[in-house]
Amino acid sequence: MKIQNNIIHGGPIDVPNISVGQHLLEHLHANAHRILQIDAETGKQFTYNDILKKSTTLATVLKNDGIAIEDRISTATENHPNFVVAMCSTLFIGATFTPLNPVYTEREYRHMLEIFQPRVIFVSQRTEKLLAKIVSTLNWTTKLISLDDKTSDKNIVTLKELLEKSNDTANSCTFVATPIDDSAKKTSAILCSSGTTGLPKGVMLSHRNLLLFIKNMRIVIDIQQGDRAILFLPMFHGYAFGLINLVICAGAAICTMRSFEIEKFLRLTEKYRITHLPLVPPILVTLAKHPTVTNYDYGSVRQVLCGAAPLPKNVADEVKRRMKVKHIRNGYGMTELSIITNISDGTTSDDTVGPIVPGFKCKVVDTTSGKILAPGEIGEICFAGEQLMLGYYKNPKTTAETIDKENWLHTGDLGYFNEEGLLYITGRIKELIKYKGYQVSPSEIESVILKHPSVKDAAVMGIPDELSGELPMALVVRQPGSNISSKEIVDFTNSYLSPQKRLRGGVKFVASIPKTPSGKIVRRELPILSKL
């Protein structure tokens, strides 16, 4: 890494021109008899060979059904052992993997499905009823496959049935992943990201994007053959999706939790001798306070990683003391930058997110003039390099607003770097609310609140919360003569939105919402208004 003309250069990195599927297939073969997955729910363990056989069989089925390069295949499921099978089979045939949040509402599912138009959607018992209802009204053909062994809808085939029926037609030893012509231009995955406004957008990551991420992270977080990571983070999210790919290519294993339960998390960490703990700040807050944390042995843990939201230093220090771990490594990144750009080594006494990883360039610019700033000066953080996304799927306008003509991606975050090139995050220009690592768009919640006939105007902001980071709170102007209550607004809004978008910060009634002459909400004035 070097700093030249106030631009940080992370150094060169290269990967072969192959597909992610080819890379995963190679490592599944190489580690055939090692454990890849442990299902925390049942205790059942799956080897690399188990996943290889299922994935190659399913890939053959999908290919025979006419799924071609860059056709979209989605998942809509909670963390599930068969998620990895669906992911690998998709990438093996060069199709584009487009995972969806299992707690989306009907409105959110319809929005994303209209964008992605997937040929296949892998569902679970939790999501199959809603997806079956939606799919029946779409104007293109989409097949539902359940990752569970049983389904309440006889029209939905299960993965188990599909594999048993097709097992004789596939041979994992001779299966060859579909080659692609240019790994830098072909899309491997489209991950959902809120961006700065409105409903979620699809971030297109190329095969090269993901291969660079995998190569970087194998070195940076020191994950080796035989290591074990625990995974409660939602698999559809970039953080977890990247980790799954990384684990496979390292010959390591993941212990998969369907949902987070603190006692279970601690017990599993000790029982399975977990080496890597990928966490988010709300979980670290829990670890800093929960009374039973000190009852377990964490001697196997080599890496504690934190990402998705800012990490308070006092929380990190308390967790290190209670768990007797040496370091907590604070990371920074975004889906649009192939998940991660910076990670600290955990040894510094401050809250840096560390240096940039190889393959990136970073600069900090004045938010008004665009001038490149010197070390120590706060401005907007921008990145360039081969790990920049291909763009937002079917959304060239927002892509152009995010990546400038010189191919610098503007993060919307404020920060600075020091003379050694270590990056510090101080705030953000963006309007996003960070709730438990989720990016929540205020304008989306506002549009829902404004649907109510008794609401004249509304603005949504995040209020600080130690456990969750921020909670969405609404400032609402009633229609003249209306006596609508806070509870009515919360109940109405919750019926349209996913759990992370709900108004946990409450509702406050105000006389008016501050706006510019053009009608945009003056968000910097909202915190003052909320306290009146």
Side-chain angles (χ1 to χ4, degrees), residues 80-97:
H80 196 291
N82 284 328
F83 180 96
V84 177
V85 176
M87 182 196 82
C88 287
S89 62
T90 300
L91 295 171
F92 285 168
I93 62 173
T96 299
F97 189 58

Side-chain angles (χ1 to χ4, degrees), residues 173-208:
C173 295
T174 58
F175 179 87
V176 177
T178 302
I180 55 172
D181 52 12
D182 190 339
S183 65
K185 294 180 180 178
K186 287 289 190 295
T187 306
S188 64
I190 306 176
L191 305 179
C192 294
S193 174
S194 292
T196 56
T197 58
L199 286 158
K201 298 166 183 63
V203 176
M204 296 188 292
L205 297 181
S206 71
H207 290 266
R208 187 171 177 81

Side-chain angles (χ1 to χ4, degrees), residues 393-451:
Y393 188 59
K394 294 183 181 178
N395 199 336
K397 180 177 181 294
T398 306
T399 301
E401 291 169 353
T402 306
I403 302 175
D404 65 28
K405 293 179 180 178
E406 296 179 341
N407 223 33
W408 284 93
L409 185 142
H410 293 248
T411 65
D413 289 321
L414 294 170
Y416 67 94
F417 59 89
N418 64 15
E419 295 286 352
E420 287 73 46
L422 300 182
L423 186 65
Y424 295 79
I425 310 299
T426 60
R428 64 180 180 270
I429 304 168
K430 288 184 175 183
E431 301 167 356
L432 290 177
I433 297 165
K434 280 288 186 83
Y435 172 76
K436 290 188 175 180
Y438 287 99
Q439 296 184 116
V440 177
S441 168
S443 64
E444 182 185 359
I445 304 175
E446 288 157 4
S447 69
V448 171
I449 298 172
L450 290 170
K451 290 176 184 287

Side-chain angles (χ1 to χ4, degrees), residues 206-221:
S206 71
H207 290 266
R208 187 171 177 81
N209 284 156
L210 278 179
L211 290 171
L212 288 167
F213 162 81
I214 292 166
K215 184 171 183 178
N216 264 325
M217 290 304 103
R218 282 193 65 180
I219 298 168
V220 170
I221 69 169

